[in-house]
Amino acid sequence: MSTVAAVGYVIAFSLFILGLMGLTSPRTAVRGNWTAAAGMGVAIVSTLLLPGMGDWWLIVLGLVLGTVVGVPAARRVKMTAMPQMVALFNGVGGGAVALIAWVEFRDTFGYLGLPLYVAVASLFAAIIGSVSFWGSLVAFGKLQAWLPTRPVTIGVLHRPLTLVALAAAGAYAIVVMTGSTSEWLVIGVLVASAFFGVLMVLPIGGADMPVVISLLNAATGLSAAAMGLALDNTALIVAGMLVGASGSILTNLMAKAMNRSLLAILAGGFGGTGGQVTGRVDDRPVRSTSASDAAIQLAYANRVVVVPGYGMAVAQAQHAVREMADLLEGKGVEVSYAVHPVAGRMPGHMNVLLAEANVPYESLKDLDESNALLPQADVALVIGANDVVNPAARTDSSSPIYGMPVLDVVSSRSVIVLKRSTGAGFAGIDNELFADPKTSMLFGDAKSSVSEVVSELKDL
Ligand code: NAP
């Protein structure tokens, strides 16, 4: 490797690590993202400076195509569609690794004269890259509702076939490692892994997709690192390991915050049920309120804790929420935001939306801070959140979300819930909170309801 390229790589790695550190806080996240992107820019230029680079037109074509497709897609994507965007980008990374592994096999005439570890790393990359590409495409299809979001299986044969696909990919790879140079074997590895990826993700409910995407993302990182080992490319090894490690940590944190084991998620069958519209919870009536009553209740409170959830994201109500908070603060009410780690559909979903509406970071409280604050709140204003405030997680050991840490909104003096019905959220289960004597429901789209509360507050 040339000295210039080596120095470039060290700069790139430092920028990646600084970028990741920036992503640990909403305040520094945008800068962190730009830092890591700059690191990737330096890594690409350094790679292009490596000896033996050729086919410049192809390289430029690739860069232009990637930019033309990637930039507008990332700019236009709605916040609620971000998980599927990540799935697609991640899948493309895995697909690229799988293709590079195939090219490497052809270029070296079946790893002729190369140490065994090159074949092992390359075939490992081919398997994981292909699984990640096809699995991510299925995840994208489910989240985009192009495929059924419910768990899909092909009957009793599903699990055995999934295992056969994985075993076939492994078997083809072993035959290649023992010295066979038939290209069909590598194609077999890629195709069998593709079947495994598709069959693995299909039975998982749309609701668990963000965790699956995070897992596949970690897998893509590992496959890139393995490919880096095979190609003797330090940049791929380091970048791949960073993605693999951070993706694994994120997957673990998400699974923990949802109180689901990774195995249970991969076993499938959870979520994707959609909410049913009823006016009662378990035959217990719920109390509804109006925007004007809610506005009065809020205006005369000392302390209000806003609990945002997925519904706020769907309704894009964050700007109206900020306006409402400004009006309340103008009336001397202390407003803070209780942010549950898995509120919404991706990690940091609520932080990003509230930051977009310029809500000060100091007002955002994490789970523990919020649960300490809620007993002193006069009103807990739940905006499009459901599972993350479901008391069943604390009280009902038969509930699928039992044990999941939740925001204890019933500990506040009163609760107002803004949603369109008493229907279920992501987990597909009833919520006793709606029938609690402390709770009143303001039915309707979150943005319209908050906007109505805002105009009522202006008249008070
Ligand atoms: P949730 O339990 O999914 O509930 C969201 C609620 O929003 C729904 O019950 C829905 O009720 C309401 N809603 C939808 N559109 C609305 C609109 N336009 N206006 C008002 N309300 C609307 O959401 P959550 O409490 O935020 O919990 C998130 C769930 O996602 C958790 O179970 C979590 O485990 C899961 N999850 C999160 C992540 C993550 O990384 N954040 C990843 C995977 C899974 P109506 O239909 O009655 O309006």
Side-chain angles (χ1 to χ4, degrees), residues 61-299:
L61 184 70
L63 288 173
V64 170
L65 267 181
T67 311
V68 167
V69 175
V71 173
R75 282 191 167 277
R76 275 189 216 147
V77 66
K78 284 199 185 130
M79 211 49 225
T80 44
M82 204 52 110
Q84 50 264 54
M85 180 83 175
V86 174
L88 206 56
F89 280 1
N90 166 57
V92 172
V97 168
L99 288 178
I100 293 171
W102 186 4
V103 169
E104 179 67 0
F105 175 88
R106 291 177 64 112
D107 270 4
T108 59
F109 305 103
Y111 312 113
L112 212 63
L114 291 172
L116 181 64
Y117 84 86
V118 174
V120 174
S122 191
L123 290 162
F124 174 81
I127 294 175
I128 306 289
S130 179
V131 169
S132 193
F133 175 69
W134 292 99
S136 297
L137 283 194
V138 174
F140 171 84
K142 280 186 175 244
L143 287 172
Q144 195 67 21
W146 290 356
L147 291 173
T149 50
R150 68 187 153 74
V152 176
T153 65
I154 49 172
V156 282
L157 284 179
H158 194 100
R159 264 170 215 207
L161 276 178
T162 311
L163 292 178
V164 167
L166 181 63
Y172 288 137
I174 288 170
V175 179
V176 177
M177 282 175 219
T178 56
S180 176
T181 54
S182 163
E183 192 170 355
W184 286 109
L185 286 169
V186 173
I187 296 173
V189 169
L190 295 175
V191 172
S193 310
F195 271 108
F196 175 73
V198 171
L199 291 172
M200 182 186 82
V201 181
L202 270 179
I204 303 174
D208 274 339
M209 274 312 129
V211 187
V212 174
I213 289 166
S214 174
L215 183 70
L216 291 173
N217 187 33
T220 297
L222 285 184
S223 67
M227 206 58 238
L229 200 65
L231 295 175
D232 195 20
N233 182 298
T234 332
L236 266 182
I237 298 178
V238 174
M241 285 315 293
L242 285 175
V243 174
S246 50
S248 308
I249 295 170
L250 179 61
T251 310
N252 194 30
L253 286 176
M254 283 168 85
K256 258 199 187 148
M258 294 160 70
N259 196 38
R260 314 240 309 121
S261 76
L262 202 52
L263 270 183
I265 289 169
L266 293 177
F270 183 76
T273 45
Q276 72 274 34
V277 180
T278 64
R280 309 167 80 83
V281 176
D282 271 351
D283 277 340
R284 289 167 61 193
V286 300
R287 191 156 55 94
S288 64
T289 187
S290 64
S292 63
D293 284 351
I296 292 169
Q297 206 177 333
L298 291 165

Side-chain angles (χ1 to χ4, degrees), residues 207 210-211 254 258 309-311 314-315 341-347 384-388 404 418-427 444-446:
V211 187
M254 283 168 85
M258 294 160 70
Y310 178 64
V314 176
V342 293
R345 287 294 181 271
M346 60 179 183
N386 191 343
D387 295 343
V388 298
M404 169 173 156
L418 274 63
K419 66 200 288 287
R420 297 163 308 175
S421 69
T422 54
F426 158 92
D445 172 75

Side-chain angles (χ1 to χ4, degrees), residues 21-58:
M21 283 164 68
L23 294 180
T24 55
S25 151
R27 198 187 292 278
T28 51
V30 173
R31 200 176 60 217
N33 217 357
W34 279 113
T35 310
M40 188 50 82
V42 174
I44 291 173
V45 172
S46 308
T47 305
L48 295 180
L49 292 176
L50 288 177
M53 273 295 151
D55 288 334
W56 286 101
W57 282 114
L58 268 182

